[in-house]
Amino acid sequence: MKTVAADIRFAEDRDAAALAAIHADAWQGAYAGIIPYPALRAMIRRRDPSWWREAVRRRAAILLLEFDGAPVGYATLGRNRMPALAVGGEIYEIYLLPAFQGVGLGRRLFGAARGLLAERGLAGTTVWALAENRNAVAFYRGLGGVNVAEGRESFGSVAVKKLAFLWR
């Protein structure tokens, strides 16, 4: 009998290509039809393996989710960038390959990210999501996030509404 495990660890230099692939697949799945195609393609191209290698070398907080030994998701996190929200931590990104969404792995990764923020003394968490990304909005609401603020993000000539979710 084979046991399949999901593990979460800090990303390393050797993970750069996998992080770039997860980013590309997850962003195409999440934002096609929301972010204009040229802007989406440019954003994905910028996050190539060299970008991720540099992020790891700068010691950015990047958690990598592995399923059966293969990278399938990641989260980036750190200090809250919006002081008006009055929490210490922020999960900047949390993405899984589309085939691994909806089975509880995102919840595990989210929990690990919040736990790391708390370990670092950053009480409370915020996350921003594009309002049209219904899956993300439902995910954060399902985790008990409260929508506390709105903003706009520009992608080329298109401005898209974004929502801030908060956990105390």
Side-chain angles (χ1 to χ4, degrees), residues 3-153:
T3 301
V4 177
D7 295 307
I8 298 170
R9 62 175 174 80
F10 283 106
E12 301 171 0
D13 224 29
R14 65 185 168 100
D15 300 314
L19 287 163
I22 293 165
H23 176 264
D25 287 352
W27 277 50
Q28 287 170 357
Y31 302 123
I34 298 173
I35 296 175
Y37 181 77
L40 180 58
R41 290 298 311 146
M43 293 170 78
I44 290 170
R45 270 195 300 273
R46 270 195 300 272
R47 294 283 192 95
D48 65 2
S50 65
W51 188 96
W52 287 101
R53 258 190 296 295
E54 185 58 28
V56 169
R57 286 181 187 143
R58 285 189 332 261
R59 301 181 50 92
I62 305 169
L63 294 179
L64 184 74
L65 171 68
E66 294 179 316
F67 184 78
D68 199 21
V72 300
Y74 73 88
T76 62
L77 55 133
R79 291 191 178 282
N80 171 27
R81 298 172 289 185
M82 177 85 53
L85 295 179
V87 294
E90 181 175 350
I91 298 174
Y92 307 132
E93 298 179 294
I94 184 167
Y95 292 104
L96 277 71
L97 291 172
F100 292 89
Q101 295 173 12
V103 295
L105 294 173
R107 281 182 175 273
R108 281 194 59 193
L109 184 55
F110 183 84
R114 286 206 64 206
L116 181 58
L117 289 168
E119 282 176 27
R120 293 182 172 185
L122 301 172
T125 306
T126 188
V127 175
W128 288 88
L130 296 184
E132 290 182 51
N133 184 346
R134 288 185 169 86
N135 289 338
V137 170
F139 176 72
Y140 296 129
R141 284 189 175 137
L143 290 169
V146 178
N147 176 216
V148 295
E150 294 181 4
R152 299 204 70 73
E153 188 82 21

Side-chain angles (χ1 to χ4, degrees), residues 128 130 150-155 158-162:
W128 288 88
L130 296 184
E150 294 181 4
R152 299 204 70 73
E153 188 82 21
S154 292
F155 302 98
V158 176
V160 179
K161 181 178 168 182
K162 63 182 182 177

